[in-house]
Amino acid sequence: GNSVTQMEGPVTLSEEAFLTINCTYTATGYPSLFWYVQYPGEGLQLLLKATKADDKGSNKGFEATYRKETTSFHLEKGSVQVSDSAVYFCALSDSSGGYNKLIFGAGTRLAVHP
Amino acid sequence: EADIYQTPRYLVIGTGKKITLECSQTMGHDKMYWYQQDPGMELHLIHYSYGVNSTEKGDLSSESTVSRIRTEHFPLTLESARPSHTSQYLCASSASDGGGPYNEQFFGPGTRLTVL
């Protein structure tokens, strides 16, 4: 079945460091790919998405490129801030089984220190 | 900003009690979902609905039940709470895709349930 694997956390960085959170997927067909972010005590918010191969999603300085050849959708940011501390979830859309749903990775906690 | 609300935000309750977690959205979305989030953060779909009077079980088996009598309202009920039900419950909604690209799911802030 379809699945998402993302790097384990926690990831701890100093402010202004470069961030990469790896995400790879297994899927039949051509799913859309997403990164969601969950700040402490809140629900999930969509950070960015890509709907087809080679698309680049971007938002708030974060970027991810849909790489079909490596089945990856790694999240990057050039210079993180303390306010980026949160849990990040990679997800794919899955329409098998007769309904649209999201399949989430396990989440990666990011802690940014001043 | 997403307009999806969950109440209560936190609930501590004793074993055997009946509880209902409320979820409402003001976006007119047809599709609604309930997820259970482990302490280890992983999310599991437990229920979904494609519209009024439509409810289906998700990937993770759950003793909870849901109803969808109105488009905007998707409550989740546990008839007899147990400690194993302790978790964070997240509600989400999305517009119908009409055959187009997958539509974003908007999430509520969650209800953290503790059963003693």
Side-chain angles (χ1 to χ4, degrees):
Chain A
N2 295 348
S3 65
V4 174
T5 302
Q6 59 183 108
M7 66 188 285
E8 287 188 28
V11 174
T12 304
L13 295 172
S14 298
E15 207 163 24
E16 300 183 5
F18 184 86
L19 169 71
T20 300
I21 300 178
N22 290 337
C23 171
T24 57
Y25 67 91
T26 301
T28 54
Y30 303 95
S32 294
L33 300 174
F34 307 85
W35 278 99
Y36 278 81
V37 58
Q38 186 176 29
Y39 297 103
E42 298 184 13
L44 275 69
Q45 302 173 27
L46 180 66
L47 182 60
L48 53 84
K49 68 180 180 183
T51 57
K52 62 182 187 298
D54 300 324
D55 266 3
K56 179 187 280 188
S58 61
N59 186 27
K60 300 181 182 179
F62 291 89
E63 293 183 337
T65 301
Y66 190 151
R67 300 284 188 204
K68 190 169 183 295
E69 63 276 12
T70 54
T71 61
S72 65
F73 193 54
H74 304 320
L75 182 68
E76 297 182 335
K77 187 174 185 183
S79 176
V80 294
Q81 305 300 312
V82 172
S83 57
D84 294 327
S85 299
V87 180
Y88 292 81
F89 292 90
C90 186
L92 64 81
S93 61
D94 182 352
S95 57
S96 63
Y99 64 96
N100 279 326
K101 65 179 179 181
L102 284 175
I103 295 177
F104 287 93
T108 302
R109 187 178 300 278
L110 170 66
V112 181
H113 298 289
Chain B
E1 189 167 321
D3 296 314
I4 179 163
Y5 309 99
Q6 291 186 244
T7 57
R9 292 292 310 275
Y10 303 92
L11 180 61
V12 180
I13 202 158
T15 297
K17 300 292 186 183
K18 178 179 178 179
I19 60 167
T20 296
L21 308 184
E22 302 288 348
C23 175
S24 295
Q25 50 94 7
T26 58
M27 297 173 282
H29 287 167
D30 290 329
K31 298 178 182 175
M32 297 189 75
Y33 313 81
W34 276 104
Y35 292 87
Q36 186 172 335
Q37 186 172 26
D38 295 342
M41 304 182 300
E42 202 155 347
L43 286 144
H44 302 282
L45 180 68
I46 53 174
H47 299 283
Y48 65 98
S49 167
Y50 270 9
V52 170
N53 295 325
S54 149
T55 61
E56 302 288 343
K57 290 193 178 293
D59 301 323
L60 181 69
S61 176
S62 173
E63 293 168 347
S64 59
T65 59
V66 292
S67 62
R68 190 88 183 276
I69 298 171
R70 302 197 314 267
T71 297
E72 63 271 22
H73 194 213
F74 191 40
L76 180 146
T77 299
L78 275 166
E79 290 292 333
S80 179
R82 295 206 300 271
S84 61
H85 297 137
T86 294
S87 191
Q88 164 113 312
Y89 293 85
L90 293 170
C91 181
S93 71
S94 68
S96 292
D97 57 20
Y102 182 91
N103 281 318
E104 174 186 354
Q105 287 189 19
F106 293 89
F107 283 80
T111 294
R112 184 167 296 282
L113 172 66
T114 302
V115 184
L116 303 175

